[in-house]
Amino acid sequence: VHMPWVVDGDLHQPNASTSYDTWFKTGGRGVDTAWSYFNQAAVGKALHSQKYVTRSEIFLQTKIECMGSVAATLQAGQHDLDLLEEDFVDLMLIHAPWQGWGEPYSNCSKGPAGKAARQATWRGMEALQRAGKVRSIGVSNFNADELEEVLEVATIPPAVNQIGICVGFIDNATIAFSRAHNITTQAYSPLGGSPWGGSPVMRLPELQPIAKAHNKSAAQV
């Protein structure tokens, strides 16, 4: 799951004002960023300026778009590293199995038409790992069918599939497929309200009496 020690970027706003320095000072060790969060320069600056922990204590993951070719994937991965001012990241994900949120050379179609592009992107991810640019590689927002497409060509299987999971919004088929193929499921939007579905958990009427009975908030439940 998306653990409390991970600070996540916001999809819609550049996060230059976010206090990443405070995150590390108060015990945070995980950072989940992406090209389309528009915060990588700020994340990189905080990583290098903070004095609280060494780089080896920080788990840094980032995401690139579905690029559609090996060459474009290598270019996008290096661009992420350049923005972060890092030689490597601990985990890099393909952000989505379709064309993403504005990266100019993203080139994947949704559904079966994008299969070849997703497979080519995965080959590029493997090349990034073999080059030492990333320690592990994975995907995000992939369903079971799209994971199967990747596994058809993978010599390095995805380590992670990051998907939206919250109370009332769970893709059990994809989670089961991932478990069967030793792919770790990592949750985003555990409190709901993601762009892809799920009501905000804090407002679910089913959770209110449970929270009250245990003197907790709905988010804690």
Side-chain angles (χ1 to χ4, degrees):
V1 297
H2 218 158
M3 299 301 287
W5 46 264
V6 176
V7 62
D8 200 354
D10 185 290
L11 181 62
H12 305 293
Q13 298 180 12
N15 290 303
S17 63
T18 299
S19 183
Y20 299 103
D21 192 68
T22 299
W23 174 249
F24 296 121
K25 183 178 180 180
T26 55
R29 296 296 181 267
V31 176
D32 177 22
T33 184
W35 183 92
S36 60
Y37 293 172
F38 310 113
N39 66 350
Q40 289 177 306
V43 169
K45 181 179 179 181
L47 283 171
H48 302 132
S49 64
Q50 61 85 26
K51 307 298 183 184
Y52 308 106
V53 292
T54 63
R55 173 64 181 85
S56 62
E57 295 179 78
I58 296 169
F59 191 91
L60 175 62
Q61 68 180 49
T62 189
K63 310 177 197 72
I64 62 173
E65 303 306 316
C66 186
M67 307 309 298
S69 73
V70 172
T73 301
L74 290 168
Q75 182 182 0
Q78 185 60 55
H79 183 54
D80 262 31
L81 291 172
D82 292 343
L83 289 171
L84 291 165
E85 298 183 50
E86 287 285 311
D87 295 326
F88 72 94
V89 292
D90 299 287
L91 176 63
M92 184 176 288
L93 309 178
I94 303 173
H95 204 158
W98 56 81
Q99 186 169 348
W101 293 276
E103 195 153 17
Y105 33 76
S106 151
N107 184 30
C108 286
S109 300
K110 191 173 179 65
K115 178 178 178 178
R118 284 186 285 276
Q119 291 178 334
T121 302
W122 187 255
R123 292 187 182 100
M125 296 288 281
E126 291 185 350
L128 285 165
Q129 183 168 350
R130 292 191 179 99
K133 303 290 186 179
V134 298
R135 288 183 168 173
S136 295
I137 51 178
V139 297
S140 180
N141 296 302
F142 277 53
N143 62 28
D145 291 340
E146 291 152 350
L147 288 172
E148 190 165 22
E149 291 173 355
V150 169
L151 291 175
E152 286 179 10
V153 299
T155 60
I156 304 171
V160 167
N161 183 26
Q162 185 191 83
I163 57 177
I165 300 176
C166 67
V167 175
F169 183 68
I170 300 174
D171 184 349
N172 286 310
T174 295
I175 294 170
F177 183 92
S178 296
R179 185 178 294 117
H181 293 85
N182 200 32
I183 300 170
T184 296
T185 297
Q186 184 188 70
Y188 68 76
S189 296
L191 297 184
S194 81
W196 321 123
S199 300
V201 168
M202 286 82 79
R203 296 203 293 268
L204 287 178
E206 296 87 348
L207 291 185
Q208 302 307 318
I210 300 173
K212 184 176 181 179
H214 294 276
N215 195 29
K216 301 293 183 182
S217 70
Q220 286 174 311
V221 171

